[in-house]
Amino acid sequence: MTWLSDTRDSYDAAAVGYAEETRDLLDRLLHVRAGVVLFAELVRAIGGGPVADVGCGPGHTTALLRELGADAFGIDLSPVMIEIARREHPGARFDVGSMTDLELADDSLAGVLAWWSLIYIPDEAVPGVLGQFLRVLRPGGVLAVGFHVGNESMTETTGDGDQRVQTSVHHRQPSRVADWLREAGFTVEAQHLLNPDGPKPGAILFGRRPAAPPR
């Protein structure tokens, strides 16, 4: 899966600058921050428990979740991102890992946050990733997915000279992501549109693994 290694290499190359650029992002993008706050409230409403920020980057969103009282830890494909996250947020747990094969036990999490990280997963791999999210969530667990809205895939280039790396960034319609969630076994509970009239629209979908039926 070259797209997986390309994504890892791209973020390894851009990690230092990306960490600095996004340091105050959630203070500037208040509607996005509100999505993180709502996710933390939904987890609290089911009694709390471990929360994975999958594709955590430098850990800024993981840190906010912890400030909000969530038992959050971060997972990212990029070892350099994880090094930065551990250095900048020493009180939190950060692991190198891939959302395509989460090294987490079944039914072990109260929540999964995928904050603009599913955008690097090609269409054919999305169902498998959502299956991983469903597997690690306990019944009644909460999922929040943030992503770019659109109908195209764009190429991003990072690095210089021989170190240049290209990755594909996938923009999708909320209805398509919602269908994928339902097909994976999630119940879709809410959809938030972000900047729908602007040049860079986004969306957040909130889903839930259905509670286990009573015996």
Side-chain angles (χ1 to χ4, degrees), residues 18 39 43 50 60-61 67 77 104 109 145 149 155-156 158 160 168 191 194 201 214:
Y18 182 86
F39 172 76
V43 170
H60 304 326
T61 304
E67 290 174 13
L77 188 62
L104 298 169
L109 301 182
V145 180
V149 170
T155 300
E156 289 185 349
T158 56
D160 299 309
S168 293
Q191 171 184 300
L194 306 169

Side-chain angles (χ1 to χ4, degrees), residues 42 130 134 141-145 147 174-192 203-210:
L42 291 169
L130 297 180
L134 188 78
V142 180
L143 172 68
V145 180
F147 53 96
S175 59
R176 188 176 195 188
V177 178
D179 285 344
W180 275 329
L181 288 172
R182 295 185 182 102
E183 290 166 7
F186 287 97
T187 299
V188 178
E189 294 190 335
Q191 171 184 300
H192 293 183
I204 302 169
L205 289 180
F206 294 89
R208 189 180 299 272
R209 177 178 171 180

Side-chain angles (χ1 to χ4, degrees), residues 5 17 22 26 30 39 42 56 88 120 134 142 154 158-159 182 200:
S5 59
T22 60
L26 292 173
L30 296 181
F39 172 76
L42 291 169
C56 66
E88 296 206 2
Y120 298 103
L134 188 78
V142 180
M154 305 176 67
T158 56
R182 295 185 182 102
K200 296 180 179 180

Side-chain angles (χ1 to χ4, degrees), residues 1 3-4 7 100 118-129 153 168 170 172 176 180:
M1 294 188 291
W3 58 268
L4 201 60
T7 302
T100 62
L118 202 66
I119 60 175
Y120 298 103
I121 306 298
D123 289 359
E124 65 272 15
V126 170
V129 167
S153 296
S168 293
H170 306 284
R172 294 162 171 138
R176 188 176 195 188
W180 275 329

